[in-house]
Amino acid sequence: MAAVLLIAVGGCRSRVQNRPVGKAVSIAVPLGLPPLPLPRDNPPTSDSIALGRMLFFDKHLSQDDSLACSSCHNPQTYFTDGQRLSKGLGGMSLRNAPTVMNAAYLPFQFWDGRALTLEEQAASPIADPIEMNQPHNVSVKKIAAESAYKGMFAKAFGTDNVTLGRIENALASFERTLLSGNSAFDRYQYGGDQTALTISQARGLAVFLDPNKGNCAACHTVRPHDALFTDGKFHNTGEGVGDLDQFSDVGRYHETKVKTDTGAFKTPTLRNVANTAPYMHDGRLKTLKEVVDFYAGGGNSNLYLDPEMKKIHLNGTDREDLVAFMQSLTGEMPPDVGPPDKKK
């Protein structure tokens, strides 16, 4: 028994049960989103979600207690940080922080897809030397030393043992509640409210969907009954390419080592996009107008440019309407996603 406890408190992995106990809860899915996929080995419970929420805002998960998950994924900025490049420990520059809203639907996490699940994603920034820079066993020890967590881990998992797996599962369960929909677009497209969009936004939707105009839905998918506004795949738009087709960030290639993945990055969702500037993996584009102009020009040419990238013929009104349409994608924020009241 002592050996098991030692592993649970001091190591990265353990033989302690990491599956939540108690009754699984239903997570409400707003208008415009598909049914929420849930892992069988990590069903969300009210206690595991509450624990994940506490951990999400806890700076003890970083080496010098200065950064939390929420430092780069702030609910006040739709779970981004509003910076061109996020800053890790010591001010080291990272990529632009993508929103974690609706990330529960994605087949890959991070710009380069290096994690397949929210559980895998949760632990990666903690140990990453240029992010939170704290070994997992240290994080486990620090969280275990906080008396406020003992009861929370016991309620969520049946015992008060702290393990990396439990931290991952709790964070992932909280992140699965970060769903945003019921935007003006959703009420128009899926709710039958033909007054939900302005005339300009409705024209912009038509441009967005037209393969001979905006062609935006080729990657930012819209389906008959729901829309994630991302295909979850990786595309090279030429953003970040320099002379001689050299990329400062090779993106997906870093994970796959497949040449054609050079400079390819995961399609970001456009939901809440009017509130998550700046744009692209390197945050180079400051406004939605700049984004539209970039794509209208066919991106930046390079050897591995995605076939969907091509010059599109948009006049000034088309471009204004596209921007107006993207402003209609601002959805509702779910309840209880801010910093928890630790007095409760």
Side-chain angles (χ1 to χ4, degrees):
M1 180 66 180
V4 174
L5 182 59
L6 177 63
I7 295 172
V9 175
C12 292
R13 301 289 175 181
S14 76
R15 292 190 291 272
V16 174
Q17 171 65 41
N18 292 327
R19 192 180 194 275
V21 299
K23 183 179 179 180
V25 297
S26 176
I27 298 174
V29 175
L31 180 68
L33 298 184
L36 182 65
L38 297 174
R40 291 185 177 181
D41 59 350
N42 187 28
T45 68
S46 58
D47 291 321
S48 67
I49 291 169
L51 174 59
R53 181 182 178 189
M54 181 77 81
L55 290 165
F56 191 85
F57 291 92
D58 196 329
K59 294 181 179 180
H60 286 99
L61 292 176
S62 64
Q63 183 189 57
D64 64 356
D65 297 342
S66 66
L67 295 176
C69 302
S70 59
S71 299
C72 292
H73 303 289
N74 189 331
Q76 294 184 347
T77 47
Y78 288 81
F79 289 90
T80 67
D81 63 6
Q83 304 297 312
R84 177 182 174 183
L85 299 174
S86 294
K87 301 294 182 182
L89 225 62
M92 298 182 72
S93 294
L94 312 171
R95 293 166 178 161
N96 178 262
T99 182
V100 292
M101 299 202 79
N102 300 336
Y105 292 101
L106 299 178
F108 300 95
Q109 304 296 325
F110 297 107
W111 281 106
D112 55 18
R114 64 184 181 274
L116 299 181
T117 67
L118 287 178
E119 285 77 8
E120 288 182 33
Q121 182 277 333
S124 178
I126 296 172
D128 193 316
I130 64 171
E131 295 192 55
M132 300 164 88
N133 193 30
Q134 181 159 270
H136 288 143
N137 65 320
V138 176
S139 292
V140 168
K141 289 179 181 178
K142 286 169 70 173
I143 294 300
E146 294 292 312
S147 59
Y149 278 114
K150 290 188 179 299
M152 298 187 75
F153 273 89
K155 289 175 68 177
F157 294 102
T159 70
D160 63 7
N161 301 86
V162 178
T163 70
L164 179 62
R166 289 182 172 188
I167 291 173
E168 290 174 328
N169 283 358
L171 281 169
S173 288
F174 170 66
E175 290 175 356
R176 287 192 174 91
T177 71
L178 305 182
L179 305 181
S180 182
N182 198 31
S183 65
F185 159 78
D186 296 309
R187 296 191 295 273
Y188 176 90
Q189 188 78 356
Y190 304 121
D193 182 359
Q194 296 303 298
T195 67
L197 296 185
T198 67
I199 294 174
S200 176
Q201 289 170 339
R203 289 198 307 255
L205 171 58
V207 172
F208 186 95
L209 296 175
D210 190 338
N212 297 313
K213 277 203 165 185
N215 195 39
C216 311
C219 299
H220 299 282
T221 52
V222 175
R223 303 193 304 183
H225 303 293
D226 53 66
L228 294 177
F229 287 96
T230 172
D231 58 5
K233 299 177 181 179
F234 303 88
H235 302 277
N236 175 323
T237 67
E239 174 57 24
V241 69
D243 295 336
L244 303 177
D245 284 355
Q246 296 298 309
F247 283 86
S248 57
D249 188 337
V250 295
R252 183 63 173 158
Y253 173 78
H254 187 271
E255 302 305 310
T256 66
K257 301 302 185 285
V258 175
K259 279 287 188 182
T260 52
D261 284 338
T262 303
F265 293 87
K266 188 179 66 180
T267 305
T269 180
L270 296 185
R271 286 190 173 275
N272 303 309
V273 70
N275 300 285
T276 57
Y279 307 107
M280 314 301 273
H281 70 275
D282 57 5
R284 188 181 68 84
L285 303 182
K286 298 178 181 178
T287 68
L288 288 177
K289 181 182 182 303
E290 289 183 23
V291 173
V292 170
D293 290 344
F294 174 82
Y295 282 103
N300 293 325
S301 178
N302 68 94
L303 184 62
Y304 305 113
L305 187 68
D306 193 277
E308 292 291 347
M309 293 297 298
K310 52 193 175 185
K311 287 188 177 182
I312 51 181
H313 302 289
L314 302 177
N315 59 35
T317 299
D318 291 333
R319 299 183 191 209
E320 290 174 2
D321 290 341
L322 266 180
V323 170
F325 167 66
M326 286 189 281
Q327 291 168 343
S328 79
L329 301 181
T330 300
E332 296 178 348
M333 291 285 284
D336 302 323
V337 295
D341 184 352
K342 295 184 180 181
K343 296 180 181 180
K344 292 182 179 180

